Amino acid sequence: MTLRHPAPTDEVVELCRDLLRIDSTNTGDTRTSAGERAAAEYVAGKLAEVGVEPTILETEPGRTNVVARIPGADPGRDALLVHGHLDVVPADPDEWSVHPFSGEVHDGYVWGRGAIDMKDFDAMTLAVVRDWQRTGVRPPRDIVLAFTADEEAGSDLGAHFLVERHPELFEGCTEAVGEVGGFSYTVNDNLRLYLVETAEKGIEWLRLHARGRPGHGSMIHDDNAVTALAEAVSRVGRHRFPLVVTPTVRAFLEEVSAALGIELDPDDPETAIAKLGPIANIIGATVRHTANPTRLEAGYKDNVIPGRATATIDCRTLPGDADEFLAQLREVIGPDLEIEHIQRQPALETTFDGALVDAMAAALRAEDPGARAVPYMLSGGTDAKAFTRLGIRCFGFAPLRLPADLNFSALFHGIDERVPVDGLQFGVRVLDRFLRAS
Ligand SMILES: [Zn+2]
């Protein structure tokens, strides 16, 4: 009898289903979160089983990270980091057509919270590494694997902790791949653009504090904190920051306009962006700073004018001068309100060139002759924000071929999140080729 190993393209589906069945909900508060420990133990077990020694690092109870290093053929070369987070955002089973933690497979998809964000890529990485370990494949250079906690709440208990407290685990890493990139956008039967993330907007979460004179709700009152706050919040919410086309967005728009035959006016890229369909809401947010009011708090009694009122503004900044953005925002808010910084993470941008980018494009083309890799900027944030602090050049490259009619961006944190089975298998083949050539 010969023992036969499962093909990585088969195993990836089982690995993904197993991970989806593990509830690793992150609410932003460890007391109400399911935590990542069970998922981390699963990953560590799958690595140890094939001879990769994982390091397990826990920050708060149940908030667990896994890091491992696979030695490369040339120890003199810089290392490559491959990272994926293990946590997921909450899911309400009443809203879903399957249970969000069932890992069901039907209609050609694996269903579950985390199916595209991002247990799919965690499973692909495991499938490739397990296959290599079983068949004696050595990567050309060291590969560091990081499976992180807490990405969905800013990564303080995950990637930022690892970078601050255990930088030695990433020694020699100069480049990294993780979410959110490498997915396809179908132009026609013969052309699919694969969006590789080379830039990420920055995060500025601000709390505005308005102060006034407390008083009785029945009287004339000209120093009302609620009124002052509401006026400033309305101005911010309706404000449009000036158009700025960064090198990444310019490259993306040139590629996509040429592919689609859309006229691109450099002074009005938004007309071209509006024609992109479902990805327009991602790309549209990358030509300006944005500032969205998200929370309001004031008052404690219906007939009492409170002395203070606060609002939270979720700002996303373009690469460049964040202080210049804050000066623009101050103009909109006016001089009277106090601005408190509650979260600040700078934007990232790298160039779309070099051997690693060539390896991505070649791996995609080998599995999809109609593939064309293009750079783009993500309007949100990922663990790349943490790893870039170590001087690592970060890319979003979690390859996935998607059906033309799938509204991919709506599945992120969305209801009925699911990943195509053949997309997962495509991802494994591309990742295998890419890592062998990187
Ligand atoms: Zn994610």
Side-chain angles (χ1 to χ4, degrees):
M1 192 184 94
T2 51
L3 268 176
R4 295 189 52 201
H5 302 303
T9 45
D10 291 332
E11 202 184 30
V12 69
V13 180
E14 292 314 309
L15 292 164
C16 187
R17 296 184 70 183
D18 286 349
L19 283 167
L20 292 174
R21 289 189 194 110
I22 301 171
D23 181 354
S24 55
T25 298
N26 182 359
T27 61
D29 180 345
T30 293
R31 289 168 299 183
T32 52
S33 294
E36 298 83 1
R37 185 186 290 164
E41 283 175 351
Y42 175 85
V43 167
K46 291 291 172 187
L47 291 173
E49 196 175 276
V50 293
V52 177
E53 200 53 58
T55 304
I56 296 178
L57 304 106
E58 196 159 88
T59 44
E60 288 181 6
R63 310 308 303 273
T64 317
N65 301 271
V66 180
V67 182
R69 184 178 288 254
I70 299 164
D74 182 354
R77 284 188 60 193
D78 293 333
L80 174 68
L81 170 64
V82 180
H83 60 95
H85 62 83
L86 294 170
D87 58 326
V88 296
V89 294
D92 179 355
D94 292 342
E95 296 175 333
W96 283 55
S97 51
V98 300
H99 194 280
F101 300 109
S102 63
E104 274 184 44
V105 177
H106 61 83
D107 299 331
Y109 286 86
V110 187
W111 300 63
R113 173 58 84 221
I116 54 153
D117 183 14
M118 63 174 295
K119 289 175 170 173
D120 57 339
F121 187 65
D122 296 332
M124 286 180 212
T125 305
L126 282 177
V128 170
V129 167
R130 282 166 63 80
D131 182 54
W132 285 6
Q133 291 291 115
R134 288 162 171 157
T135 55
V137 176
R138 254 181 120 177
R141 52 169 163 162
D142 279 15
I143 291 179
V144 175
L145 306 175
F147 298 91
T148 59
D150 202 33
E151 193 277 339
E152 297 292 0
S155 312
D156 284 346
L157 304 177
H160 281 296
F161 161 82
L162 294 174
V163 161
E164 284 163 22
R165 303 287 296 278
H166 296 280
E168 73 283 355
L169 293 170
F170 306 97
E171 202 185 313
C173 289
T174 53
E175 295 173 312
V177 294
E179 61 175 353
V180 177
F183 55 91
S184 65
Y185 170 79
T186 302
V187 176
N188 56 48
D189 285 350
N190 303 317
L191 180 60
R192 273 161 297 283
L193 303 179
Y194 285 79
L195 277 59
V196 176
E197 192 213 292
T198 56
E200 240 174 55
K201 284 182 97 176
I203 299 172
E204 296 275 355
W205 290 346
L206 306 174
R207 201 167 286 140
L208 306 186
H209 297 274
R211 289 192 170 75
R213 188 162 35 85
H216 197 291
S218 68
M219 297 178 193
I220 298 291
H221 197 98
D222 57 7
D223 185 18
N224 184 321
V226 175
T227 307
L229 183 81
E231 285 172 347
V233 165
S234 314
R235 285 196 301 272
V236 170
R238 296 192 189 289
H239 185 71
R240 299 264 278 166
F241 287 86
L243 188 79
V244 179
V245 180
T246 57
T248 297
V249 174
R250 180 174 301 278
F252 174 81
L253 290 173
E254 283 169 2
E255 293 270 8
V256 88
S257 307
L260 294 173
I262 297 172
E263 188 89 33
L264 176 64
D265 176 356
D267 297 324
D268 176 28
E270 286 165 313
T271 302
I273 291 170
K275 295 174 183 158
L276 297 181
I279 59 167
N281 55 1
I282 302 180
I283 306 303
T286 62
V287 292
R288 301 172 188 281
H289 303 302
T290 58
N292 280 310
T294 52
R295 303 179 83 156
L296 286 171
E297 210 180 315
Y300 50 91
K301 177 83 169 68
D302 290 342
N303 59 352
V304 177
I305 297 168
R308 52 189 302 163
T310 64
T312 307
I313 313 289
D314 180 354
C315 308
R316 305 300 176 119
T317 56
L318 293 171
D321 189 352
D323 290 332
E324 192 184 307
F325 161 75
L326 290 172
Q328 291 173 8
L329 185 70
R330 174 54 90 181
E331 288 271 301
V332 179
I333 290 169
D336 297 334
L337 270 58
E338 183 198 326
I339 300 177
E340 178 194 357
H341 292 262
I342 50 181
Q343 174 77 254
R344 179 168 221 194
Q345 298 196 38
L348 324 174
E349 188 165 32
T350 187
T351 51
F352 190 59
D353 56 11
L356 198 71
V357 168
D358 293 345
M360 293 175 195
L364 287 167
R365 267 198 315 274
E367 295 296 335
D368 177 2
R372 186 169 172 77
V374 299
Y376 91 104
M377 183 189 298
L378 180 69
S379 59
T382 73
D383 278 345
K385 292 248 189 317
F387 294 120
T388 196
R389 294 168 63 198
L390 294 173
I392 299 173
R393 188 179 177 214
C394 293
F395 294 91
F397 185 68
L400 208 51
R401 180 171 169 171
L402 300 169
D405 57 355
L406 184 69
N407 187 347
F408 184 58
S409 65
L411 293 178
F412 277 82
H413 301 186
I415 292 159
D416 286 343
E417 184 178 346
R418 60 197 183 277
V419 64
V421 171
D422 57 5
L424 267 180
Q425 295 172 328
F426 170 87
V428 164
R429 294 194 301 269
V430 173
L431 188 65
D432 179 86
R433 285 179 185 274
F434 163 68
L435 292 176
R436 281 175 197 250
S438 66

